[in-house]
């Protein structure tokens, strides 16, 4: 806060008014005085106030009545209630109303200063928390889900419906298709948005560690278990548990998982007490669970328990019409992060990106845009700024067993063109300097510029 | 930090007060002496409600600016007013009046 915080000091005792004003103004506050609660309400209606310090016992609306009135009118201002020593009832009532701080008369001068500073600091923290929560919700709000294609619009409709329900959700899709984003959108737009979102990657742990992560453990349950540990089921109480890569859960844990989903109760590893948790499950997988069931690697009953609502996230190659929207979104994002002002992609760059197969789907596309933003030195991303894997040849044929060699000249030509273009850009289009940077002669660079039609744009 | 380090050295009573409050203290002492007179007048009129309020106010403010004795006496007045113990009120007023006339404030 650059300006002095404005304190409204409410007390009918003239000496306390003087003392309060004197101490607070000496310690960097701007003070307004009111004689009672009614006057204070009037003042709040006309002037901005950062903090209220109010005596409890006053005529014409006491401190508690003032606080209640402010709450009823939706005015959320930090409040310090000053009570006489021993007035426990008023203190308790004030705490129920959510008073920030309270002081007991008589207090030391420094106490009111500390209470005021503490009240304002706590207020700032609370405001920041509310703002962060709002940012998270906005980040995962439906308007931020990118994609106008039919397949993505269908997926978003399902996400929207899933968010209005508390049923278990199974999200399937290849790597990089936005399964976790979809899970978070379901949670942060749903009935449990104020509860925790707890994620666990089931493929990241061995069987024993995964069991401990999910169910928790008690001290001494195994070597290294030095204290009790809460599992993800407990942490997700009143919220959402996101089981990523659920297809990788070992069969032994699948049995236990099924029981928890059915009964919402479980024991920690090594523990005897039965615990309860109220959570909602969203699971995700890039595997074909029905195939795993057929091979005896996934339980059919668990599959049906998880897949009450099914959402499929299509791979990017199935909706290339969304690529321009996606790259625009990522460009804005990485411009912000890198403090750049790149305006757009060249038409050739967009065409190149639309032709690519994107085996890594949206995540790979995002990485490509991030890389291009870092490489680009102008205000337009061109093909030479894009990662080499997007170069002008069919990516799926590079690793094939037949006919690789007939693509080699094309690969060489593309790489040469990109490197020459970049060297010229970096050297102010002075051929001699660009040639030197590339380790070739000026004659060679001139030849290749003619060959590839490289000109200064 | 202010404290009431009052001592009796013959007729002298000392109050040790935070120097930060120096500008306020003369007015406060005068106000308390006026309040002693107001309590006395209220007692003549059996106005225990006024005595209770004045006692309550003194109880609240005294220690806050370094005068523990004012808080103690204010508390006694408030309690006495609630039970209408006029003799206690009289004695307390005498003690308070004596204290206010003789207290010497040392600012630290």
């Amino acid at each position: 806060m650059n300006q002095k915080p404005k304190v409204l000091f409410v007390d009918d005792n003239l000496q306390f008014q003087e003392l309060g004003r004197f101490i607070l103004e000496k310690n960097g506050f701007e003070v307004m005085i009111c004689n009672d609660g009614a006057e204070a309400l009037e003042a709040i209606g006309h002037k901005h106030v950062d903090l209220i310090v109010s005596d409890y016992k006053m005529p014409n609306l006491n401190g508690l009545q003032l606080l209640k009135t402010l709450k009823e009118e939706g005015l959320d201002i930090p409040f310090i209630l000053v009570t006489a020593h021993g007035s426990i009832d008023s203190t308790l009532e004030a705490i129920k109303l959510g008073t920030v701080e309270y002081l007991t008369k008589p207090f030391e001068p420094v106490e009111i200063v500390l209470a005021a500073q503490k009240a304002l600091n706590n207020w700032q923290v609370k405001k920041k928390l509310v703002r962060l929560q709002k940012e998270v919700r906005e980040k995962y709000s439906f308007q931020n889900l990118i994609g106008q294609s039919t397949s993505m619009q269908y997926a978003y409709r399902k996400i929207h419906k899933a968010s209005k329900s508390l049923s278990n959700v199974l999200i399937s899709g290849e790597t990089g298709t936005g399964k976790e984003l979809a899970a978070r959108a379901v949670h942060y737009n749903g009935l449990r948005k104020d509860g925790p979102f707890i994620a666990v990657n089931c493929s990241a742990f061995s069987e024993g560690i995964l069991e401990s992560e999910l169910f928790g453990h008690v001290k001494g349950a195994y070597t290294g278990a030095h204290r009790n540990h809460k599992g993800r089921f407990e942490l997700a109480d009143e919220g959402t548990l996101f089981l990523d890569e659920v297809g990788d859960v070992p069969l032994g844990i699948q049995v236990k998982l099924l029981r928890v989903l059915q009964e919402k109760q479980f024991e920690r590893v090594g523990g005897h007490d039965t615990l309860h948790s109220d959570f909602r499950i969203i699971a995700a997988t890039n595997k074909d669970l029905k195939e795993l069931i057929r091979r005896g690697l996934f339980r059919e009953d668990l599959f049906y328990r998880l897949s009450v609502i099914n959402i499929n996230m299509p791979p990017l190659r199935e909706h290339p019409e969304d690529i321009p929207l996606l790259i625009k979104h990522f460009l804005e994002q990485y411009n912000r992060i890198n403090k750049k002002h790149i305006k757009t992609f060249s038409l050739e760059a967009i065409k190149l990106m639309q032709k690519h197969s994107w085996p890594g789907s949206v995540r790979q596309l995002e990485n490509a845009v991030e890389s291009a933003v870092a490489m680009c030195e102008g205000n337009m991303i061109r093909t030479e700024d894009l990662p080499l894997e997007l170069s002008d040849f069919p990516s799926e044929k590079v690793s094939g067993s037949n006919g690789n060699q007939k693509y080699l000249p094309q690969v060489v030509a593309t790489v040469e063109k990109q490197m020459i273009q970049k060297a010229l850009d970096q050297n102010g289009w002075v051929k001699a300097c660009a040639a030197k940077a590339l380790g070739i002669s000026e004659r060679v660079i001139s030849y290749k510029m003619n060959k590839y039609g490289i000109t200064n744009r | 930090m202010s404290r009431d380090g009052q001592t009796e050295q013959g007729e002298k009573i000392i109050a040790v007060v935070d120097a930060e409050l120096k500008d306020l203290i003369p007015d406060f002492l005068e106000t308390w002496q006026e309040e002693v007179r107001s309590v006395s007048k209220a007692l003549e009129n059996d106005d225990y409600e006024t005595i209770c309020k004045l006692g309550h106010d003194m109880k609240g403010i005294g220690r806050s600016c370094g005068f523990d004795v004012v808080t103690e006496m204010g508390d006694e007045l408030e309690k006495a007013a609630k039970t209408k113990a006029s003799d206690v009120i009289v004695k307390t007023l005498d003690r308070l009046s004596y204290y206010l006339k003789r207290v010497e404030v040392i600012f630290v």
Side-chain angles (χ1 to χ4, degrees):
Chain A
M1 247 183 265
N2 295 324
Q3 296 175 337
K4 288 183 185 181
K6 292 182 180 53
V7 179
L8 184 64
F9 194 90
V10 192
D11 200 315
D12 61 330
N13 181 283
L14 293 175
Q15 283 183 308
F16 253 113
Q17 287 178 12
E18 269 192 79
L19 183 69
R21 182 201 289 280
F22 190 82
I23 293 168
L24 289 169
E25 282 182 353
K26 269 209 162 195
N27 285 276
F29 295 89
E30 190 183 310
V31 181
M32 289 182 283
I33 302 286
C34 286
N35 291 302
D36 55 45
E39 231 179 83
L41 278 177
E42 177 80 28
I44 289 161
H46 294 107
K47 284 192 176 160
H48 170 75
V49 157
D50 294 305
L51 172 69
I52 300 171
V53 179
S54 173
D55 191 27
Y56 168 57
K57 208 169 176 183
M58 293 180 294
N60 296 331
L61 211 74
N62 66 34
L64 207 56
Q65 288 166 336
L66 169 62
L67 177 60
K68 273 185 193 164
T69 309
L70 292 173
K71 294 283 177 196
E72 281 161 15
E73 292 184 6
L75 290 169
D76 220 1
I77 305 171
F79 200 102
I80 299 176
L81 186 67
V82 185
T83 62
H85 179 72
S87 55
I88 293 172
D89 289 341
S90 58
T91 307
L92 283 174
E93 222 182 316
I95 290 170
K96 277 186 216 166
L97 283 169
T99 311
V100 179
E101 294 292 322
Y102 67 93
L103 279 175
T104 306
K105 280 181 179 176
F107 50 75
E108 300 282 350
V110 71
E111 284 182 73
I112 191 171
V113 174
L114 290 175
Q117 287 168 346
K118 188 178 171 190
L120 288 170
N121 283 341
N122 286 348
W123 190 249
Q124 290 301 323
V125 168
K126 184 182 160 186
K127 262 174 51 176
K128 190 173 180 184
L129 181 64
V130 166
R131 193 180 71 243
L132 286 172
Q133 285 175 331
K134 191 177 169 222
E135 279 174 14
V136 166
R137 278 193 204 120
E138 279 170 359
K139 184 177 174 185
Y140 297 111
S141 74
F142 291 122
Q143 65 213 35
N144 281 341
L145 296 173
I146 312 288
Q148 298 293 325
S149 60
T150 310
S151 55
M152 287 310 293
Q153 287 296 309
Y154 180 70
Y156 297 151
R157 275 199 297 280
K158 295 220 69 182
I159 291 170
H160 180 77
K161 284 189 181 163
S163 75
K164 301 304 164 209
S165 151
L166 287 176
S167 300
N168 294 337
V169 180
L170 179 63
I171 304 172
S172 51
E174 293 177 15
T175 302
T177 51
K179 296 188 292 296
E180 182 166 343
L181 183 64
R184 287 180 185 271
V186 169
H187 173 81
Y188 286 109
N189 289 283
L191 301 163
R192 289 180 177 244
K193 62 180 184 294
D194 294 324
F197 179 90
I198 303 294
V200 59
N201 186 330
C202 299
S203 65
F205 305 102
S206 63
E207 183 168 347
I209 302 292
L210 180 61
E211 189 178 1
S212 176
E213 280 298 311
L214 288 172
F215 299 95
H217 62 248
V218 296
K219 184 178 167 184
Y222 52 82
T223 309
H226 301 301
R227 51 176 181 264
N228 290 345
H229 174 74
K230 267 190 183 178
R232 308 289 173 111
F233 284 119
E234 282 181 78
L235 294 173
D237 189 28
E238 296 183 13
T240 300
L241 178 62
F242 175 53
L243 297 174
D244 200 5
E245 312 289 4
V246 73
D248 289 332
V249 174
L251 273 168
I253 297 187
Q254 288 182 31
V255 174
K256 296 175 184 174
L257 199 49
L258 184 61
R259 184 196 162 219
V260 181
L261 295 185
Q262 285 168 337
E263 295 164 30
K264 295 282 165 72
Q265 59 187 35
F266 54 94
E267 292 82 31
R268 289 184 186 173
V269 174
H272 301 293
D273 296 335
T274 300
L275 305 171
H276 300 266
S277 183
D278 176 25
F279 55 84
R280 185 256 191 101
I281 291 273
I282 301 176
T285 182
N286 61 6
K287 293 188 157 71
D288 182 347
L289 291 186
K290 288 188 176 166
E291 174 62 22
L292 291 183
I293 291 168
R294 201 182 58 74
R295 290 162 55 194
L297 295 173
F298 202 86
R299 293 182 64 102
E300 192 172 18
D301 46 5
L302 178 60
F303 170 77
Y304 286 118
R305 183 63 66 164
L306 290 172
S307 59
V308 178
I309 299 175
N310 277 290
I311 299 172
N312 179 56
M313 300 298 287
L316 187 56
R317 65 178 176 278
E318 289 181 11
H319 57 108
E321 63 270 37
D322 285 329
I323 288 175
L325 271 175
L326 284 163
I327 61 176
K328 179 173 180 279
H329 168 74
F330 292 132
L331 178 61
E332 282 169 8
Q333 183 180 314
Y334 287 104
N335 263 340
R336 242 187 342 264
I337 292 170
N338 293 285
K339 293 185 172 40
K340 282 191 162 182
H341 305 282
I342 300 166
K343 289 190 169 50
T344 187
F345 286 73
S346 69
L347 204 55
E348 292 80 17
I350 294 175
K351 280 182 185 167
L352 194 60
M353 293 171 101
Q354 282 182 305
K355 269 169 41 182
H356 193 59
S357 60
W358 301 107
S361 255
V362 180
R363 187 180 300 130
Q364 187 188 8
L365 175 69
E366 182 181 352
N367 290 346
V369 173
E370 183 184 359
S371 168
V373 167
M375 291 292 114
C376 178
E377 289 175 2
N379 60 6
M380 181 186 280
I381 290 177
R382 300 177 195 280
T383 54
E384 52 267 29
D385 296 317
L386 297 174
L388 263 177
E389 74 217 42
L390 271 68
S391 297
D392 205 359
F393 58 87
S395 58
E396 63 266 26
K397 288 181 185 167
V398 173
S399 55
S401 56
N402 299 319
N404 264 0
Q405 289 161 341
K406 65 183 175 182
Y407 291 105
L408 184 58
Q410 282 173 288
V411 171
V412 169
T414 305
V415 171
E416 272 194 339
K417 187 180 172 185
Q418 285 178 1
M419 288 184 72
I420 291 167
Q421 185 81 62
K422 199 147 194 85
L424 287 163
D425 283 339
Q426 286 173 347
N427 288 278
W429 278 79
V430 175
K431 278 194 249 181
C433 297
K436 193 177 175 185
L438 290 168
I440 56 178
S441 69
E442 217 178 313
R443 188 173 67 78
V444 168
I445 202 171
S446 295
Y447 167 75
K448 288 189 186 290
M449 283 173 71
N450 277 332
K451 180 182 172 187
Y452 298 127
I454 298 171
T455 54
N456 192 351
R457 303 176 279 272
Chain B
M1 193 62 119
S2 65
R3 57 185 172 86
D4 185 347
Q6 60 169 21
T7 57
E8 287 205 23
Q9 296 171 348
E11 294 285 322
K12 266 192 184 175
I13 300 168
I14 295 171
V16 179
V17 172
D18 195 323
E20 198 179 50
L21 305 177
K22 193 173 176 179
D23 293 339
L24 290 182
I25 299 306
D27 276 346
F28 278 25
L29 285 169
E30 206 176 299
T31 301
W32 287 325
Q33 283 172 344
E34 275 172 26
E35 285 179 356
V36 166
R37 290 190 284 273
S38 299
V39 168
S40 187
K41 195 166 178 186
L43 191 59
E44 285 169 21
N45 299 322
D46 291 336
D47 182 2
Y48 291 101
E49 200 179 313
T50 298
I51 298 170
C52 188
K53 183 172 185 329
L54 289 171
H56 177 83
D57 286 348
M58 277 190 244
K59 179 180 82 173
I61 190 89
R63 187 169 290 136
S64 293
C65 37
F67 293 85
D68 286 20
V69 170
V70 173
T71 288
E72 285 160 18
M73 304 271 181
D75 187 36
E76 284 181 28
L77 284 172
E78 185 186 16
K79 283 176 179 154
K82 282 178 181 170
T83 57
K84 297 185 182 174
S86 53
D87 51 335
V88 174
I89 292 170
V90 167
K91 282 181 189 165
T92 308
L93 272 185
D94 280 343
R95 284 160 56 213
L96 183 55
S97 186
Y98 181 88
Y99 171 81
L100 290 171
K101 281 176 187 152
R102 282 159 181 79
V103 69
E104 196 174 310
V105 183
I106 296 175
F107 295 101
V108 294

